[in-house]
Amino acid sequence: MSDLLGRLRGRGWRMTSQRRVVAEVLDGDHVHLTADEVHLRAAARLPEISRATVYNTLGELVALGEVLEVSTVGRAKRYDPNARNPHQHLVCSGCGTVRDVHPVGNAIGDLPEEERFGFAVGSVEMTYRGLCPACA
Amino acid sequence: MSDLLGRLRGRGWRMTSQRRVVAEVLDGDHVHLTADEVHLRAAARLPEISRATVYNTLGELVALGEVLEVSTVGRAKRYDPNARNPHQHLVCSGCGTVRDVHPVGNAIGDLPEEERFGFAVGSVEMTYRGLCPACA
DNA sequence: TTCTTGACTTGGACGAAGTCCATCGTAGGA
DNA sequence: TCCTACGATGGACTTCGTCCAAGTCAAGAA
């Protein structure tokens, strides 16, 4: 995420204070905020920012491939800024904490030809579930 | 799913026409309906059935372990009656079609100890994505 | 068979998450 | 500095799901 703002400017993104704040909120590892949480944190720095703007900006970041949508925890979508580093997710069944993890092996290769139904398989998303040390 | 009704009766479930119709709608392989679709199909056979009853019944079937919730496609949850046969999902990025698939290998074993953050990992859900023959 | 009762169903209100749109504001080039 | 097209705003709206009070009925008892 570090030079996200630079990359976005390079792509011709018009830089506004709202977009800057949203991008800054989405920084760090193991960050998986809901749109509402992003709005809350952004509003702490820029009180007038509207919900619609947060949704618009998140949608654009996803379209640009800078942020991933994760829908494995709870009802609301979560936004993962760690898009440039391929990874999977480990979720605590107790408290909902999410960690980025990196399994070894080739999960796509593990799907036999006769189980592909003629699909051109391009990716696989994995969600590991279990109890974190605090909840166990 | 075949003898679902018998199993439910065995567990002391009170059998009503509404529950019977919902269970019958959720029958077959590669079935992944939304609650709304279940309601639509159930109402074709039993016009007075209410949305709340469909949600209640689906929730109970999930609690009993007879049906799985799948949240990998679109906004609404989908209900998968194939709960007694462990499997993963293959989703078409074009039309949203979902197939049940059975990868080989041990995905849980593929998560290294140092990537587990002390979690007791119990299960893994995998979603393969690609284009189906019709969409390719 | 009829009675009884508690579990089940109903529909409408409610709530959370997300989208849409007309209008206003402003970043950044001329 | 001025213009203007792109972005922000906020309120209405949609979708998906939950809750609740009141009415209904499956299934065991007599």
Side-chain angles (χ1 to χ4, degrees):
Chain A
M1 204 69 182
S2 358
D3 196 29
L4 174 62
L5 294 177
R7 285 202 303 280
L8 293 176
R9 212 186 299 264
R11 298 211 206 191
W13 233 40
R14 192 148 139 186
M15 191 51 56
T16 67
S17 52
Q18 292 84 348
R19 287 176 166 186
R20 194 189 327 276
V21 165
V22 169
E24 282 169 4
V25 164
L26 282 175
D27 194 10
D29 284 337
H30 306 294
V31 169
H32 307 89
L33 300 171
T34 63
D36 214 54
E37 288 164 349
V38 171
H39 181 225
L40 219 64
R41 299 191 187 196
R45 305 194 194 185
L46 191 65
E48 332 78 76
I49 193 171
S50 79
R51 255 166 29 93
T53 297
V54 169
Y55 276 105
N56 288 341
T57 305
L58 289 172
E60 284 156 18
L61 289 170
V62 169
L64 290 172
E66 295 287 349
V67 165
L68 297 175
E69 273 182 10
V70 183
S71 356
T72 45
V73 205
R75 256 210 272 175
K77 286 182 202 160
R78 291 177 176 272
Y79 294 87
D80 179 346
N82 198 9
R84 305 171 74 74
N85 165 19
H87 63 279
Q88 305 298 342
H89 293 112
L90 169 57
V91 179
C92 176
S93 317
C95 60
T97 298
V98 183
R99 317 287 325 215
D100 294 349
V101 296
H102 304 81
V104 300
N106 172 11
I108 293 187
D110 284 348
L111 189 63
E113 193 53 38
E114 70 273 17
E115 286 277 298
R116 298 194 181 202
F117 299 95
F119 280 53
V121 179
S123 67
V124 57
E125 292 152 28
M126 305 171 65
T127 304
Y128 290 90
R129 296 193 187 273
L131 283 177
C132 73
C135 290
Chain B
M1 202 70 182
S2 357
D3 195 31
L4 174 62
L5 294 176
R7 285 201 304 280
L8 294 175
R9 213 185 301 264
R11 298 209 204 192
W13 233 39
R14 190 147 140 188
M15 191 50 56
T16 67
S17 52
Q18 292 84 348
R19 288 175 166 185
R20 194 189 328 274
V21 165
V22 169
E24 283 168 4
V25 163
L26 282 175
D27 195 11
D29 284 337
H30 307 294
V31 169
H32 306 89
L33 299 172
T34 63
D36 214 54
E37 288 164 349
V38 172
H39 180 223
L40 217 64
R41 298 190 186 196
R45 306 193 195 186
L46 191 66
E48 333 78 76
I49 193 170
S50 78
R51 254 165 29 94
T53 297
V54 170
Y55 276 105
N56 288 342
T57 305
L58 289 173
E60 283 157 16
L61 289 169
V62 170
L64 291 172
E66 295 287 349
V67 166
L68 297 175
E69 274 182 9
V70 183
S71 356
T72 44
V73 205
R75 255 210 272 175
K77 285 183 202 159
R78 290 177 176 272
Y79 294 87
D80 178 347
N82 198 9
R84 306 170 74 74
N85 164 19
H87 64 278
Q88 305 298 343
H89 293 112
L90 168 58
V91 179
C92 176
S93 316
C95 60
T97 298
V98 183
R99 317 288 325 215
D100 294 350
V101 296
H102 303 81
V104 299
N106 173 11
I108 294 189
D110 284 347
L111 189 62
E113 194 54 39
E114 70 273 15
E115 286 276 297
R116 298 193 181 203
F117 300 95
F119 280 53
V121 178
S123 67
V124 57
E125 291 153 28
M126 305 170 65
T127 305
Y128 290 90
R129 295 192 187 275
L131 283 178
C132 73
C135 289

